[in-house]
Amino acid sequence: MPFTNQWAMANNPCLDANASLGIDEACFSILNEYNTSVTFYSRSSECHMCDGAPQATLPPGENTTLVVSTKYPLYMFYEATYRYCHQTYNFKEHGSYGWNISEKERCSDIYTIREPINGYLPIFAAFMVYVLLSILFATAKVIIRVVKGKLSPDNIRDDLDELQETETSTPIVRTSRSSTRIRSLDTFRGIAILLMIFVNNGGGKYVFFNHSAWNGLTVADLVLPWFAWIMGLSITISKRSELRVSNSRGKIILRCLQRALILVLLGLMLNSMHAKSLKDLRFPGVLQLLAVSYFVCATIETIFMRTHSQDDVLQFGRFSILRDILNNWVQWLIILAIMVTHILITFLLPVPNCPTGYLGPGGASHYGKFPNCTGGAAGHIDRLVFGSHMYSKTQNPVYGTILPHDPEGIMNTISIILVVYMGVHAGKILLLYYQCNARVIRWLLWASITGLVAGGLCHFDKETGAIPVSKKMMSLSFVLTVSCFAFLLYAILHFFVDYKQYWSGAPFIYAGLNPITLYVGHTLTMGLFPWAWKLSHATHWSILAMNLWTTVLWGVIAYWLYLKDVIISV
């Protein structure tokens, strides 16, 4: 809610010199110059198609001070005889603002009484600290090499890790202490898992480091789909390697099933940490979603993947430029059939007392007309299948009370299969084309195509498109958008890490070696010292520092595992 109503009458930090405002809060004083009481209404601008809710009754001739939220711009108006002065204002953290309303000048401007603080200064400070530490680390490493005689001053190379001496257009494969890895792949995976740890621990309590209320896209919304996308790329490489040493595709599928079952079991174990009993144990989850989508895509690839000898049929033919697609047309037909089924269920399945094809959050959305329609068909299926064994939170920070809806439910798991297979296809490009330019151009083309299709579906707008971008729903426009960014990021990483070798991928590459270990570990230790601690007075500074420390500590643990040659996989 935009106002902290409990503080409006008592314990108001705006009226108490000894009290402090919390995170993303400001003071708003309204002077009512009417001769009668006035009702003040507001809603967050993030709340799409919502009515303003009454927040306070303003006595005549008095100044009423309220605490307002600064997370989103505030849409507000007041009601005397009629509803007057509809306007939206973007309050800033810890600022103090005033507004005078009267019969003579109903819509006066909001003015600043006390200047707000710069809420983004902690991010800038943290960025500068990391840049300084990176420079110092790189400089120290170069100096050590020079002292040891490994490099002379004439041929010092500006890098963070030992690089191979030869440059080639084929993927640069590094030999780690226990396995052969592709640097860009591990770097991408490490970026995803460390970013996931950061946002799961709070992301400094910044809006853009937390998931969207419903529609829209934040940094936090990218991490899980990115992890699924890079998992798909790994499927291509691993299954091709397994087919080289095994003639039994059935055995490979059984190993895929074994891995999926282990991930599901781990996911259920993590969910049991928050369950009071087996009656409310949540069945869906992040690892469960990854397990099912992995098994589906890995099985499809194992059954239909061509060997190198079969690839040669189209390698030098008329359609060689499209061989990454033509060699895999059966897989694409299956994936498209899955997605068409998902779309048909989403837009045609009747949901009791709800409009067909509804994609909203319910609650206060659509002016409160469909409060029990949260998630449309996807939410209805999850509630019907899982009952109490699903994500149980019903308080949305923007839309108020909604029905339970699981972001890793059945329909969302089906939707994420497309993201995984986009990663599979990125791996096909990596294996089929040997020149860096050919790979990067294709990845960039896929980024453009998926981005444009996603933009067409959502009309390049947050709310008005046919299929809005929604992580909560894993909507088609959302999975295409995150795939667009994944193709783009991997193209950049491949060029700079594998091909040009300007960057070794450190420190992310170490986290990419043990992603499941880091995910399970950070979930088990969340809130525990030394990863985190209780804060007496939380601010963006203190929470951001703690969340970054948590992320860095897990990065150090990942580096220690790398040095000890420990790579744990399932």
Side-chain angles (χ1 to χ4, degrees), residues 1-3 24 26 28 40-48 50 52 55 68-77 86-93 97 110 120 207-208 397-398 462:
M1 296 298 292
F3 286 85
D24 295 326
F28 188 36
F40 183 76
Y41 295 79
S42 74
R43 64 168 174 82
S44 169
S45 63
E46 185 75 3
C47 194
H48 180 61
C50 298
Q55 301 296 338
V68 297
S69 172
T70 62
K71 286 186 176 181
Y72 306 104
L74 197 67
Y75 172 77
M76 50 196 169
F77 58 90
H86 296 256
Q87 62 174 298
T88 302
Y89 193 83
N90 190 10
F91 295 95
K92 301 295 184 181
E93 187 178 18
Y97 301 87
I110 295 174
Y120 303 110
V207 171
F208 43 82
V398 170
K462 185 177 179 179

mmCIF file of all heavy atoms in Angstrom, residues 1-3 24 26 28 40-48 50 52 55 68-77 86-93 97 110 120 207-208 397-398 462:
data_model
loop_
_atom_site.group_PDB
_atom_site.id
_atom_site.type_symbol
_atom_site.label_atom_id
_atom_site.label_comp_id
_atom_site.label_asym_id
_atom_site.label_seq_id
_atom_site.Cartn_x
_atom_site.Cartn_y
_atom_site.Cartn_z
ATOM 1 N N MET A 1 0.845 -1.193 0.000
ATOM 2 C CA MET A 1 0.000 0.000 0.000
ATOM 3 C C MET A 1 0.881 1.244 0.000
ATOM 4 O O MET A 1 1.970 1.263 0.581
ATOM 5 C CB MET A 1 -0.902 0.012 1.243
ATOM 6 C CG MET A 1 -1.892 -1.142 1.284
ATOM 7 S SD MET A 1 -3.047 -1.131 -0.102
ATOM 8 C CE MET A 1 -4.008 0.321 0.289
ATOM 9 N N PRO A 2 0.447 2.346 -0.601
ATOM 10 C CA PRO A 2 1.285 3.531 -0.693
ATOM 11 C C PRO A 2 1.478 4.253 0.622
ATOM 12 O O PRO A 2 2.415 4.998 0.787
ATOM 13 C CB PRO A 2 0.533 4.405 -1.705
ATOM 14 C CG PRO A 2 -0.878 3.918 -1.663
ATOM 15 C CD PRO A 2 -0.814 2.471 -1.355
ATOM 16 N N PHE A 3 0.554 4.068 1.607
ATOM 17 C CA PHE A 3 0.679 4.766 2.873
ATOM 18 C C PHE A 3 0.787 3.768 4.014
ATOM 19 O O PHE A 3 0.188 2.692 3.975
ATOM 20 C CB PHE A 3 -0.539 5.659 3.138
ATOM 21 C CG PHE A 3 -0.562 6.896 2.297
ATOM 22 C CD1 PHE A 3 -1.100 6.855 1.027
ATOM 23 C CD2 PHE A 3 -0.031 8.077 2.765
ATOM 24 C CE1 PHE A 3 -1.121 7.990 0.246
ATOM 25 C CE2 PHE A 3 -0.065 9.211 1.980
ATOM 26 C CZ PHE A 3 -0.602 9.164 0.722
ATOM 27 N N ASP A 24 12.558 3.571 1.563
ATOM 28 C CA ASP A 24 11.559 3.959 0.564
ATOM 29 C C ASP A 24 10.345 4.621 1.194
ATOM 30 O O ASP A 24 9.194 4.337 0.853
ATOM 31 C CB ASP A 24 11.113 2.745 -0.256
ATOM 32 C CG ASP A 24 12.227 2.167 -1.102
ATOM 33 O OD1 ASP A 24 13.071 2.946 -1.570
ATOM 34 O OD2 ASP A 24 12.266 0.928 -1.277
ATOM 35 N N ALA A 26 8.755 8.572 2.679
ATOM 36 C CA ALA A 26 8.868 10.026 2.699
ATOM 37 C C ALA A 26 7.689 10.594 3.474
ATOM 38 O O ALA A 26 6.719 9.889 3.775
ATOM 39 C CB ALA A 26 8.888 10.591 1.270
ATOM 40 N N PHE A 28 4.588 13.415 3.771
ATOM 41 C CA PHE A 28 3.700 14.197 2.908
ATOM 42 C C PHE A 28 2.673 14.918 3.779
ATOM 43 O O PHE A 28 1.838 14.293 4.419
ATOM 44 C CB PHE A 28 3.005 13.265 1.912
ATOM 45 C CG PHE A 28 2.212 13.977 0.860
ATOM 46 C CD1 PHE A 28 2.644 15.182 0.319
ATOM 47 C CD2 PHE A 28 1.025 13.431 0.372
ATOM 48 C CE1 PHE A 28 1.919 15.832 -0.664
ATOM 49 C CE2 PHE A 28 0.290 14.065 -0.604
ATOM 50 C CZ PHE A 28 0.746 15.271 -1.129
ATOM 51 N N PHE A 40 -8.880 11.796 1.332
ATOM 52 C CA PHE A 40 -7.728 11.708 0.432
ATOM 53 C C PHE A 40 -7.583 10.272 -0.066
ATOM 54 O O PHE A 40 -7.600 9.320 0.710
ATOM 55 C CB PHE A 40 -6.459 12.145 1.163
ATOM 56 C CG PHE A 40 -5.234 12.151 0.297
ATOM 57 C CD1 PHE A 40 -5.028 13.158 -0.622
ATOM 58 C CD2 PHE A 40 -4.282 11.146 0.399
ATOM 59 C CE1 PHE A 40 -3.897 13.176 -1.423
ATOM 60 C CE2 PHE A 40 -3.158 11.148 -0.395
ATOM 61 C CZ PHE A 40 -2.968 12.170 -1.314
ATOM 62 N N TYR A 41 -7.430 10.121 -1.409
ATOM 63 C CA TYR A 41 -7.305 8.815 -2.049
ATOM 64 C C TYR A 41 -5.959 8.721 -2.761
ATOM 65 O O TYR A 41 -5.413 9.725 -3.237
ATOM 66 C CB TYR A 41 -8.409 8.605 -3.093
ATOM 67 C CG TYR A 41 -9.809 8.555 -2.548
ATOM 68 C CD1 TYR A 41 -10.498 9.723 -2.207
ATOM 69 C CD2 TYR A 41 -10.461 7.335 -2.386
ATOM 70 C CE1 TYR A 41 -11.788 9.675 -1.721
ATOM 71 C CE2 TYR A 41 -11.765 7.283 -1.907
ATOM 72 C CZ TYR A 41 -12.413 8.453 -1.571
ATOM 73 O OH TYR A 41 -13.693 8.387 -1.093
ATOM 74 N N SER A 42 -5.478 7.500 -2.884
ATOM 75 C CA SER A 42 -4.255 7.299 -3.666
ATOM 76 C C SER A 42 -4.133 5.836 -4.066
ATOM 77 O O SER A 42 -4.820 4.963 -3.530
ATOM 78 C CB SER A 42 -3.018 7.711 -2.863
ATOM 79 O OG SER A 42 -2.732 6.746 -1.869
ATOM 80 N N ARG A 43 -3.260 5.583 -5.014
ATOM 81 C CA ARG A 43 -2.858 4.234 -5.390
ATOM 82 C C ARG A 43 -1.487 4.325 -6.044
ATOM 83 O O ARG A 43 -1.088 5.369 -6.559
ATOM 84 C CB ARG A 43 -3.846 3.589 -6.352
ATOM 85 C CG ARG A 43 -3.948 4.289 -7.705
ATOM 86 C CD ARG A 43 -4.726 3.442 -8.701
ATOM 87 N NE ARG A 43 -4.971 4.113 -9.967
ATOM 88 C CZ ARG A 43 -4.098 4.190 -10.965
ATOM 89 N NH1 ARG A 43 -2.889 3.654 -10.833
ATOM 90 N NH2 ARG A 43 -4.402 4.829 -12.088
ATOM 91 N N SER A 44 -0.773 3.238 -6.015
ATOM 92 C CA SER A 44 0.514 3.183 -6.691
ATOM 93 C C SER A 44 0.299 3.237 -8.201
ATOM 94 O O SER A 44 -0.631 2.615 -8.729
ATOM 95 C CB SER A 44 1.262 1.901 -6.314
ATOM 96 O OG SER A 44 2.379 1.707 -7.147
ATOM 97 N N SER A 45 1.153 3.947 -8.904
ATOM 98 C CA SER A 45 1.048 3.986 -10.363
ATOM 99 C C SER A 45 1.330 2.627 -10.977
ATOM 100 O O SER A 45 0.974 2.375 -12.140
ATOM 101 C CB SER A 45 2.028 5.018 -10.928
ATOM 102 O OG SER A 45 3.369 4.645 -10.638
ATOM 103 N N GLU A 46 1.954 1.745 -10.218
ATOM 104 C CA GLU A 46 2.238 0.389 -10.691
ATOM 105 C C GLU A 46 0.956 -0.445 -10.766
ATOM 106 O O GLU A 46 0.903 -1.434 -11.500
ATOM 107 C CB GLU A 46 3.239 -0.280 -9.743
ATOM 108 C CG GLU A 46 3.731 -1.640 -10.164
ATOM 109 C CD GLU A 46 4.740 -1.607 -11.305
ATOM 110 O OE1 GLU A 46 5.112 -0.495 -11.736
ATOM 111 O OE2 GLU A 46 5.159 -2.681 -11.762
ATOM 112 N N CYS A 47 -0.043 -0.044 -10.016
ATOM 113 C CA CYS A 47 -1.297 -0.795 -9.949
ATOM 114 C C CYS A 47 -2.144 -0.463 -11.180
ATOM 115 O O CYS A 47 -2.761 0.604 -11.261
ATOM 116 C CB CYS A 47 -2.046 -0.458 -8.662
ATOM 117 S SG CYS A 47 -3.387 -1.589 -8.249
ATOM 118 N N HIS A 48 -2.148 -1.395 -12.147
ATOM 119 C CA HIS A 48 -2.820 -1.150 -13.419
ATOM 120 C C HIS A 48 -4.322 -1.348 -13.287
ATOM 121 O O HIS A 48 -4.797 -2.349 -12.765
ATOM 122 C CB HIS A 48 -2.260 -2.101 -14.476
ATOM 123 C CG HIS A 48 -2.872 -1.944 -15.825
ATOM 124 N ND1 HIS A 48 -2.801 -0.766 -16.545
ATOM 125 C CD2 HIS A 48 -3.569 -2.808 -16.601
ATOM 126 C CE1 HIS A 48 -3.415 -0.909 -17.699
ATOM 127 N NE2 HIS A 48 -3.898 -2.136 -17.759
ATOM 128 N N CYS A 50 -6.582 0.202 -11.389
ATOM 129 C CA CYS A 50 -6.996 0.095 -9.994
ATOM 130 C C CYS A 50 -7.691 1.389 -9.565
ATOM 131 O O CYS A 50 -7.352 2.482 -10.036
ATOM 132 C CB CYS A 50 -5.788 -0.143 -9.076
ATOM 133 S SG CYS A 50 -4.902 -1.676 -9.396
ATOM 134 N N GLY A 52 -8.460 4.289 -6.751
ATOM 135 C CA GLY A 52 -7.763 4.872 -5.615
ATOM 136 C C GLY A 52 -8.422 4.440 -4.318
ATOM 137 O O GLY A 52 -9.649 4.376 -4.220
ATOM 138 N N GLN A 55 -7.156 6.923 1.975
ATOM 139 C CA GLN A 55 -5.981 6.806 2.830
ATOM 140 C C GLN A 55 -6.118 7.599 4.125
ATOM 141 O O GLN A 55 -5.563 7.196 5.139
ATOM 142 C CB GLN A 55 -4.728 7.283 2.071
ATOM 143 C CG GLN A 55 -4.442 6.531 0.795
ATOM 144 C CD GLN A 55 -4.125 5.065 1.040
ATOM 145 O OE1 GLN A 55 -3.721 4.685 2.128
ATOM 146 N NE2 GLN A 55 -4.339 4.239 0.028
ATOM 147 N N VAL A 68 4.449 8.210 3.173
ATOM 148 C CA VAL A 68 4.153 7.666 1.850
ATOM 149 C C VAL A 68 5.302 6.788 1.382
ATOM 150 O O VAL A 68 6.451 6.956 1.787
ATOM 151 C CB VAL A 68 3.913 8.795 0.821
ATOM 152 C CG1 VAL A 68 2.708 9.617 1.197
ATOM 153 C CG2 VAL A 68 5.143 9.661 0.674
ATOM 154 N N SER A 69 4.964 5.857 0.516
ATOM 155 C CA SER A 69 5.967 4.980 -0.084
ATOM 156 C C SER A 69 6.557 5.642 -1.319
ATOM 157 O O SER A 69 5.848 6.299 -2.089
ATOM 158 C CB SER A 69 5.334 3.641 -0.472
ATOM 159 O OG SER A 69 6.237 2.858 -1.220
ATOM 160 N N THR A 70 7.857 5.468 -1.502
ATOM 161 C CA THR A 70 8.542 6.066 -2.650
ATOM 162 C C THR A 70 8.962 5.029 -3.684
ATOM 163 O O THR A 70 9.713 5.339 -4.603
ATOM 164 C CB THR A 70 9.790 6.843 -2.177
ATOM 165 O OG1 THR A 70 10.709 5.929 -1.557
ATOM 166 C CG2 THR A 70 9.413 7.920 -1.171
ATOM 167 N N LYS A 71 8.475 3.794 -3.547
ATOM 168 C CA LYS A 71 8.885 2.750 -4.485
ATOM 169 C C LYS A 71 8.418 3.059 -5.899
ATOM 170 O O LYS A 71 9.137 2.839 -6.867
ATOM 171 C CB LYS A 71 8.328 1.397 -4.038
ATOM 172 C CG LYS A 71 9.039 0.808 -2.838
ATOM 173 C CD LYS A 71 8.532 -0.598 -2.555
ATOM 174 C CE LYS A 71 9.318 -1.229 -1.410
ATOM 175 N NZ LYS A 71 8.849 -2.609 -1.124
ATOM 176 N N TYR A 72 7.183 3.519 -6.013
ATOM 177 C CA TYR A 72 6.614 3.839 -7.321
ATOM 178 C C TYR A 72 5.986 5.227 -7.250
ATOM 179 O O TYR A 72 5.615 5.705 -6.177
ATOM 180 C CB TYR A 72 5.533 2.822 -7.705
ATOM 181 C CG TYR A 72 5.978 1.391 -7.669
ATOM 182 C CD1 TYR A 72 5.600 0.552 -6.615
ATOM 183 C CD2 TYR A 72 6.764 0.845 -8.680
ATOM 184 C CE1 TYR A 72 5.996 -0.776 -6.572
ATOM 185 C CE2 TYR A 72 7.166 -0.471 -8.648
ATOM 186 C CZ TYR A 72 6.780 -1.284 -7.589
ATOM 187 O OH TYR A 72 7.176 -2.590 -7.554
ATOM 188 N N PRO A 73 5.843 5.913 -8.389
ATOM 189 C CA PRO A 73 5.096 7.174 -8.395
ATOM 190 C C PRO A 73 3.687 6.959 -7.850
ATOM 191 O O PRO A 73 3.105 5.886 -8.014
ATOM 192 C CB PRO A 73 5.082 7.564 -9.880
ATOM 193 C CG PRO A 73 6.284 6.888 -10.456
ATOM 194 C CD PRO A 73 6.428 5.601 -9.709
ATOM 195 N N LEU A 74 3.161 7.984 -7.215
ATOM 196 C CA LEU A 74 1.867 7.876 -6.527
ATOM 197 C C LEU A 74 0.797 8.646 -7.293
ATOM 198 O O LEU A 74 0.954 9.836 -7.575
ATOM 199 C CB LEU A 74 1.999 8.425 -5.112
ATOM 200 C CG LEU A 74 0.893 8.049 -4.120
ATOM 201 C CD1 LEU A 74 0.927 6.558 -3.832
ATOM 202 C CD2 LEU A 74 1.053 8.843 -2.837
ATOM 203 N N TYR A 75 -0.267 7.941 -7.655
ATOM 204 C CA TYR A 75 -1.432 8.578 -8.263
ATOM 205 C C TYR A 75 -2.401 8.933 -7.136
ATOM 206 O O TYR A 75 -2.734 8.098 -6.290
ATOM 207 C CB TYR A 75 -2.100 7.647 -9.256
ATOM 208 C CG TYR A 75 -3.419 8.146 -9.780
ATOM 209 C CD1 TYR A 75 -3.471 9.131 -10.753
ATOM 210 C CD2 TYR A 75 -4.617 7.638 -9.288
ATOM 211 C CE1 TYR A 75 -4.686 9.602 -11.235
ATOM 212 C CE2 TYR A 75 -5.832 8.092 -9.758
ATOM 213 C CZ TYR A 75 -5.864 9.082 -10.732
ATOM 214 O OH TYR A 75 -7.070 9.547 -11.192
ATOM 215 N N MET A 76 -2.887 10.196 -7.091
ATOM 216 C CA MET A 76 -3.691 10.622 -5.952
ATOM 217 C C MET A 76 -4.723 11.671 -6.364
ATOM 218 O O MET A 76 -4.597 12.344 -7.395
ATOM 219 C CB MET A 76 -2.786 11.177 -4.849
ATOM 220 C CG MET A 76 -1.796 12.202 -5.301
ATOM 221 S SD MET A 76 -0.493 12.461 -4.100
ATOM 222 C CE MET A 76 0.644 13.442 -5.056
ATOM 223 N N PHE A 77 -5.737 11.794 -5.520
ATOM 224 C CA PHE A 77 -6.776 12.808 -5.672
ATOM 225 C C PHE A 77 -7.502 12.922 -4.331
ATOM 226 O O PHE A 77 -7.269 12.125 -3.407
ATOM 227 C CB PHE A 77 -7.745 12.446 -6.803
ATOM 228 C CG PHE A 77 -8.422 11.119 -6.639
ATOM 229 C CD1 PHE A 77 -9.634 11.007 -5.966
ATOM 230 C CD2 PHE A 77 -7.844 9.956 -7.149
ATOM 231 C CE1 PHE A 77 -10.260 9.786 -5.808
ATOM 232 C CE2 PHE A 77 -8.462 8.726 -6.988
ATOM 233 C CZ PHE A 77 -9.675 8.646 -6.313
ATOM 234 N N HIS A 86 -6.730 15.107 -9.854
ATOM 235 C CA HIS A 86 -6.062 13.831 -10.130
ATOM 236 C C HIS A 86 -4.661 14.117 -10.657
ATOM 237 O O HIS A 86 -4.497 14.795 -11.678
ATOM 238 C CB HIS A 86 -6.854 13.043 -11.179
ATOM 239 C CG HIS A 86 -8.217 12.647 -10.708
ATOM 240 N ND1 HIS A 86 -8.526 11.367 -10.320
ATOM 241 C CD2 HIS A 86 -9.364 13.366 -10.535
ATOM 242 C CE1 HIS A 86 -9.787 11.297 -9.946
ATOM 243 N NE2 HIS A 86 -10.330 12.501 -10.072
ATOM 244 N N GLN A 87 -3.670 13.592 -9.982
ATOM 245 C CA GLN A 87 -2.305 13.806 -10.441
ATOM 246 C C GLN A 87 -1.403 12.696 -9.913
ATOM 247 O O GLN A 87 -1.745 11.974 -8.978
ATOM 248 C CB GLN A 87 -1.765 15.169 -10.014
ATOM 249 C CG GLN A 87 -1.677 15.386 -8.513
ATOM 250 C CD GLN A 87 -0.995 16.707 -8.193
ATOM 251 O OE1 GLN A 87 0.172 16.903 -8.543
ATOM 252 N NE2 GLN A 87 -1.730 17.606 -7.555
ATOM 253 N N THR A 88 -0.248 12.568 -10.561
ATOM 254 C CA THR A 88 0.752 11.565 -10.183
ATOM 255 C C THR A 88 2.034 12.276 -9.803
ATOM 256 O O THR A 88 2.486 13.180 -10.513
ATOM 257 C CB THR A 88 1.015 10.588 -11.344
ATOM 258 O OG1 THR A 88 -0.211 9.950 -11.719
ATOM 259 C CG2 THR A 88 2.027 9.535 -10.938
ATOM 260 N N TYR A 89 2.607 11.864 -8.680
ATOM 261 C CA TYR A 89 3.837 12.505 -8.210
ATOM 262 C C TYR A 89 4.838 11.426 -7.789
ATOM 263 O O TYR A 89 4.466 10.426 -7.164
ATOM 264 C CB TYR A 89 3.548 13.434 -7.027
ATOM 265 C CG TYR A 89 4.700 14.364 -6.699
ATOM 266 C CD1 TYR A 89 4.871 15.552 -7.403
ATOM 267 C CD2 TYR A 89 5.610 14.041 -5.694
ATOM 268 C CE1 TYR A 89 5.915 16.405 -7.111
ATOM 269 C CE2 TYR A 89 6.666 14.894 -5.400
ATOM 270 C CZ TYR A 89 6.805 16.074 -6.108
ATOM 271 O OH TYR A 89 7.861 16.920 -5.825
ATOM 272 N N ASN A 90 6.093 11.676 -8.113
ATOM 273 C CA ASN A 90 7.163 10.731 -7.786
ATOM 274 C C ASN A 90 7.909 11.231 -6.547
ATOM 275 O O ASN A 90 8.809 12.061 -6.639
ATOM 276 C CB ASN A 90 8.119 10.598 -8.973
ATOM 277 C CG ASN A 90 9.108 9.460 -8.783
ATOM 278 O OD1 ASN A 90 8.974 8.653 -7.856
ATOM 279 N ND2 ASN A 90 10.104 9.389 -9.642
ATOM 280 N N PHE A 91 7.522 10.743 -5.386
ATOM 281 C CA PHE A 91 8.192 11.117 -4.142
ATOM 282 C C PHE A 91 9.551 10.429 -4.057
ATOM 283 O O PHE A 91 9.744 9.331 -4.584
ATOM 284 C CB PHE A 91 7.339 10.726 -2.938
ATOM 285 C CG PHE A 91 6.036 11.466 -2.838
ATOM 286 C CD1 PHE A 91 4.867 10.918 -3.351
ATOM 287 C CD2 PHE A 91 5.971 12.712 -2.239
ATOM 288 C CE1 PHE A 91 3.664 11.589 -3.262
ATOM 289 C CE2 PHE A 91 4.775 13.404 -2.148
ATOM 290 C CZ PHE A 91 3.618 12.837 -2.666
ATOM 291 N N LYS A 92 10.492 11.095 -3.392
ATOM 292 C CA LYS A 92 11.839 10.555 -3.226
ATOM 293 C C LYS A 92 12.086 10.191 -1.767
ATOM 294 O O LYS A 92 11.523 10.801 -0.856
ATOM 295 C CB LYS A 92 12.888 11.575 -3.696
ATOM 296 C CG LYS A 92 12.742 11.999 -5.150
ATOM 297 C CD LYS A 92 12.978 10.843 -6.106
ATOM 298 C CE LYS A 92 12.931 11.316 -7.561
ATOM 299 N NZ LYS A 92 13.134 10.196 -8.511
ATOM 300 N N GLU A 93 12.964 9.233 -1.581
ATOM 301 C CA GLU A 93 13.203 8.665 -0.259
ATOM 302 C C GLU A 93 13.650 9.705 0.759
ATOM 303 O O GLU A 93 14.564 10.492 0.506
ATOM 304 C CB GLU A 93 14.239 7.541 -0.350
ATOM 305 C CG GLU A 93 14.426 6.781 0.955
ATOM 306 C CD GLU A 93 15.412 5.637 0.830
ATOM 307 O OE1 GLU A 93 16.197 5.631 -0.144
ATOM 308 O OE2 GLU A 93 15.408 4.758 1.697
ATOM 309 N N TYR A 97 7.398 16.631 1.859
ATOM 310 C CA TYR A 97 6.671 17.342 0.814
ATOM 311 C C TYR A 97 5.385 17.941 1.384
ATOM 312 O O TYR A 97 4.844 17.445 2.376
ATOM 313 C CB TYR A 97 6.340 16.393 -0.343
ATOM 314 C CG TYR A 97 7.550 15.767 -0.977
ATOM 315 C CD1 TYR A 97 8.086 14.581 -0.454
ATOM 316 C CD2 TYR A 97 8.178 16.343 -2.065
ATOM 317 C CE1 TYR A 97 9.216 14.001 -1.024
ATOM 318 C CE2 TYR A 97 9.299 15.774 -2.642
ATOM 319 C CZ TYR A 97 9.811 14.597 -2.112
ATOM 320 O OH TYR A 97 10.923 14.033 -2.672
ATOM 321 N N ILE A 110 2.618 20.389 -5.719
ATOM 322 C CA ILE A 110 3.263 19.806 -4.545
ATOM 323 C C ILE A 110 4.651 20.411 -4.429
ATOM 324 O O ILE A 110 5.388 20.526 -5.413
ATOM 325 C CB ILE A 110 3.332 18.267 -4.684
ATOM 326 C CG1 ILE A 110 1.923 17.683 -4.685
ATOM 327 C CG2 ILE A 110 4.164 17.649 -3.571
ATOM 328 C CD1 ILE A 110 1.873 16.193 -4.971
ATOM 329 N N TYR A 120 20.152 6.120 -4.596
ATOM 330 C CA TYR A 120 20.970 5.289 -5.467
ATOM 331 C C TYR A 120 22.466 5.476 -5.230
ATOM 332 O O TYR A 120 23.276 4.822 -5.880
ATOM 333 C CB TYR A 120 20.644 5.594 -6.932
ATOM 334 C CG TYR A 120 19.187 5.400 -7.245
ATOM 335 C CD1 TYR A 120 18.351 6.482 -7.507
ATOM 336 C CD2 TYR A 120 18.630 4.129 -7.253
ATOM 337 C CE1 TYR A 120 17.006 6.292 -7.782
ATOM 338 C CE2 TYR A 120 17.289 3.932 -7.526
ATOM 339 C CZ TYR A 120 16.478 5.015 -7.788
ATOM 340 O OH TYR A 120 15.142 4.829 -8.051
ATOM 341 N N VAL A 207 13.782 -1.649 -5.885
ATOM 342 C CA VAL A 207 12.665 -2.181 -6.665
ATOM 343 C C VAL A 207 13.163 -2.982 -7.856
ATOM 344 O O VAL A 207 12.663 -4.084 -8.140
ATOM 345 C CB VAL A 207 11.741 -1.035 -7.131
ATOM 346 C CG1 VAL A 207 10.708 -1.555 -8.120
ATOM 347 C CG2 VAL A 207 11.048 -0.389 -5.937
ATOM 348 N N PHE A 208 14.165 -2.476 -8.571
ATOM 349 C CA PHE A 208 14.632 -3.131 -9.786
ATOM 350 C C PHE A 208 15.478 -4.360 -9.490
ATOM 351 O O PHE A 208 15.813 -5.110 -10.406
ATOM 352 C CB PHE A 208 15.410 -2.148 -10.666
ATOM 353 C CG PHE A 208 16.371 -1.274 -9.913
ATOM 354 C CD1 PHE A 208 17.625 -1.728 -9.567
ATOM 355 C CD2 PHE A 208 15.997 0.007 -9.542
ATOM 356 C CE1 PHE A 208 18.500 -0.923 -8.863
ATOM 357 C CE2 PHE A 208 16.870 0.825 -8.842
ATOM 358 C CZ PHE A 208 18.126 0.355 -8.498
ATOM 359 N N PRO A 397 2.365 -6.671 -2.976
ATOM 360 C CA PRO A 397 2.685 -5.314 -2.514
ATOM 361 C C PRO A 397 1.974 -4.205 -3.281
ATOM 362 O O PRO A 397 1.901 -3.076 -2.799
ATOM 363 C CB PRO A 397 4.208 -5.226 -2.716
ATOM 364 C CG PRO A 397 4.522 -6.264 -3.746
ATOM 365 C CD PRO A 397 3.543 -7.356 -3.512
ATOM 366 N N VAL A 398 1.446 -4.504 -4.445
ATOM 367 C CA VAL A 398 0.766 -3.496 -5.264
ATOM 368 C C VAL A 398 -0.729 -3.773 -5.368
ATOM 369 O O VAL A 398 -1.555 -2.867 -5.207
ATOM 370 C CB VAL A 398 1.392 -3.434 -6.676
ATOM 371 C CG1 VAL A 398 0.541 -2.558 -7.613
ATOM 372 C CG2 VAL A 398 2.811 -2.883 -6.598
ATOM 373 N N LYS A 462 4.124 -1.931 -21.244
ATOM 374 C CA LYS A 462 4.082 -2.774 -20.047
ATOM 375 C C LYS A 462 2.737 -3.439 -19.834
ATOM 376 O O LYS A 462 2.664 -4.576 -19.355
ATOM 377 C CB LYS A 462 4.450 -1.924 -18.829
ATOM 378 C CG LYS A 462 4.559 -2.695 -17.527
ATOM 379 C CD LYS A 462 4.999 -1.778 -16.414
ATOM 380 C CE LYS A 462 5.088 -2.507 -15.100
ATOM 381 N NZ LYS A 462 5.549 -1.637 -13.995
#
